[in-house]
Amino acid sequence: MNATQFEECMNAMQGTPQKRSAAARLPSSAPGEEATRRGRTPASRPHGDRFIPQRSAMDMDVSHFELTRAREEENATVNASPAKEEYKKALAANLFAGGATNKVLAFKHKAPAAPADHQNSLRVLYTQNRDAGLLPKKYSRHIPQAPERILDAPELLDDYYLNLLDWNERNVLGVALGDSIYLWNASDGSIQQLMQTSGDNSHVTSLAWVQDGPGGEGRYMAVGTSDHTVQIWDVQRLKQVRSMHGHRARVSSLSWNGPLLSSGGRDSVVMQHDVRVADHKVGTLRGHAQEVCGLKWSPSGTQLASGGNDNILNVWDDRYTSSANGVCDQPLLRLDQHRAAVKALAWCPWQRNLLASGGGTADRMIRFWNSSTGACLNAVDTHSQVCALQWAKHDRELVSSHGYSHNQLILWKYPSMVKVAELTGHTSRVLHMAQSPDGTTVVTAAADETLRFWKILSGGEASKKERAAAKESILNSMTIR
């Protein structure tokens, strides 16, 4: 279709023919009838049909150009270049006064532009969550608010300064109840009694599993008693293999570092015992004025943290070995910012030289220390007595147990120290806490004579794979008959 034919078509649709074809010029009727027929046809219409484009909004030259250039550009793309295309655009803009358009038929004028400050309410409604599906999903795990298991612990001593709970790598939990120690196997639920003190009115004041490598994990346990002795027990044979003396008061804290056993007592002294030799006493650390109720070796085995009832936190190194008699009176660091007894101590397993400590009722603070410089990195007021601390093995989280006045368990996110969960259930102060070897569960022992198991930690990648495998096995077992 050429431009002439297109124009004739448009004239025919508008009802105002300007040119007549040869067939139309043939005399087919009388002159009077032709005049009458012409008089019936209006010369123009005041209002166009909505299905017929308005000629006033059209440019015939541009329309002809758009219709005919398709054939001309079939082979033009072979020699096209960016400069040539820009030249064509500039030429079209100048020739058509900026009105060049790809639309051949224009049915109406363009809608007027919205004001600069116009805000479409529907646009806000339908675009506010447009990018929600593109954002990465945040992982959030379920934290049970109730304990997974509760065990009775009759005759558990209500004494803040003792350490009566520990969990070894073979999944055996040791707990001291009065003058006896009981072992609970978390794998099969079996319970057996390890020992019982023999003296009158004597009782167990501390216990700690030895951690001496994959071959011997969980075989030996150190036991501190109220009659000033430190005992070593073979758990497999249920037999005492050694008894070590040196303290002049009860032994309230114990910590292993390979074959080296550190013990702290009410006599304010920390003693170092080498259990491999007959003369076991290899060092004496004097840095406290009252009972040593907290004792922890760092994961690297190079620093020992000791907390006392004198509100002092000391960090020791191996300088006692250079002394002639093995006595050291000067710790590596002496930290005195706590205002109550320092029992709760925990070394971070995934960040070197990071130590957490908790104070008693008059202090209620959890403090974080750089053990290299002695700087206090952070301090958080828990509004309750801090009894025990446990770092999560696989996540940047910390668990704290508390006494007066809330008796709760708190899971913190480190380093922001935001409360992830606050767990209640104990009716008396939560004195002791230990962590399972897989890093998913913490057990708490309280003065209400109960043990409660809280599965609140993630357990790392291994635990995630186990949960995924268990879920898959459940799904595979669901068959349709």
Side-chain angles (χ1 to χ4, degrees), residues 76-91:
T77 56
V78 179
N79 299 322
S81 65
K84 185 179 294 185
E85 295 298 325
E86 289 295 331
Y87 170 75
K88 289 182 179 180
K89 291 180 181 179
L91 182 62

Side-chain angles (χ1 to χ4, degrees), residues 166 296 345-346 388-393 397-401 411 433-436 442-443 457:
D166 200 11
K296 289 291 182 181
L345 298 173
L389 295 171
Q390 283 284 335
W391 287 98
K393 295 180 180 180
E397 295 175 341
L398 179 72
V399 186
S400 61
S401 67
L411 177 62
M433 182 166 54
Q435 187 174 171
S436 64
V442 293
V443 57
L457 303 177

Side-chain angles (χ1 to χ4, degrees), residues 1 67-75:
M1 178 184 294
L67 289 171
T68 56
R69 72 170 181 172
R71 294 192 302 270
E72 298 176 357
E73 292 182 353
E74 289 180 356
N75 299 323

Side-chain angles (χ1 to χ4, degrees), residues 2 10 17 51 60 110 120 167 183 187-189 207 236-237 272 299 301 373 375 383:
N2 54 30
M10 296 307 301
F51 297 107
M60 301 304 299
K110 293 183 178 180
N120 192 334
W167 204 336
L183 306 178
S187 300
D188 56 18
L207 60 86
Q236 293 182 356
R237 297 188 296 165
Q272 309 281 49
T373 63
H383 304 286

Side-chain angles (χ1 to χ4, degrees), residues 403-420:
Y404 180 81
S405 59
H406 300 297
N407 307 323
Q408 82 274 44
L409 199 69
I410 301 178
L411 177 62
W412 307 85
K413 194 70 177 177
Y414 184 83
S416 63
M417 292 308 290
V418 174
K419 288 184 181 180
V420 179

Side-chain angles (χ1 to χ4, degrees), residues 208-476:
W209 290 101
V210 65
Q211 306 292 334
D212 57 353
E217 291 176 352
R219 180 172 182 179
Y220 296 102
M221 175 186 283
V223 179
T225 65
S226 59
D227 55 4
H228 321 161
T229 62
V230 177
Q231 303 174 4
I232 306 297
W233 283 79
D234 187 333
V235 176
Q236 293 182 356
R237 297 188 296 165
L238 302 179
K239 182 179 180 180
Q240 180 181 343
V241 296
R242 189 160 193 182
S243 180
M244 299 179 292
H245 302 274
H247 284 284
R248 295 172 295 170
R250 69 179 187 180
V251 182
S252 50
S253 55
L254 296 167
S255 183
W256 285 94
N257 183 20
L260 186 68
L261 174 64
S262 300
S263 61
R266 184 177 275 181
D267 55 4
S268 70
V269 173
V270 177
M271 299 189 67
Q272 309 281 49
H273 310 271
D274 191 340
V275 299
R276 299 170 297 181
V277 298
D279 189 7
H280 58 86
K281 185 178 177 181
V282 296
T284 303
L285 310 179
R286 302 181 183 274
H288 292 278
Q290 296 187 37
E291 183 171 12
V292 180
C293 51
L295 208 58
K296 289 291 182 181
W297 275 99
S298 64
S300 61
T302 59
Q303 293 179 332
L304 173 67
S306 64
N309 195 29
D310 54 358
N311 311 344
I312 298 298
L313 170 62
N314 289 328
V315 178
W316 308 84
D317 55 7
D318 60 353
R319 63 182 63 189
Y320 70 92
T321 58
S322 60
S323 176
N325 56 0
V327 178
C328 181
D329 299 326
Q330 184 62 40
L332 175 65
L333 297 172
R334 180 182 174 86
L335 309 170
D336 57 0
Q337 297 188 25
H338 283 288
R339 295 176 294 175
V342 184
K343 177 199 174 186
L345 298 173
W347 290 91
C348 182
W350 35 261
Q351 183 171 334
R352 187 179 179 88
N353 299 326
L354 177 58
L355 172 65
S357 62
T361 306
D363 182 68
R364 305 171 302 181
M365 302 290 292
I366 297 178
R367 295 184 179 273
F368 300 91
W369 310 90
N370 185 330
S371 63
S372 296
T373 63
C376 183
L377 306 176
N378 194 7
V380 178
D381 188 355
T382 65
H383 304 286
S384 187
Q385 179 188 43
V386 184
C387 299
L389 295 171
Q390 283 284 335
W391 287 98
K393 295 180 180 180
H394 308 286
D395 294 304
R396 281 172 162 72
E397 295 175 341
L398 179 72
V399 186
S400 61
S401 67
H402 300 271
Y404 180 81
S405 59
H406 300 297
N407 307 323
Q408 82 274 44
L409 199 69
I410 301 178
L411 177 62
W412 307 85
K413 194 70 177 177
Y414 184 83
S416 63
M417 292 308 290
V418 174
K419 288 184 181 180
V420 179
E422 188 167 356
L423 310 170
T424 58
H426 284 292
T427 58
S428 186
R429 54 183 181 173
V430 187
L431 297 170
H432 315 288
M433 182 166 54
Q435 187 174 171
S436 64
D438 62 358
T440 62
T441 306
V442 293
V443 57
T444 54
D448 58 5
E449 297 186 348
T450 62
L451 300 178
R452 296 174 186 259
F453 296 79
W454 312 84
K455 196 166 186 178
I456 58 176
L457 303 177
S458 68
E461 294 297 329
S463 179
K464 293 178 183 178
K465 291 180 180 179
E466 291 178 1
R467 291 196 296 268
K471 183 177 180 180
E472 184 178 358
S473 65
I474 294 174
L475 292 177
N476 292 337

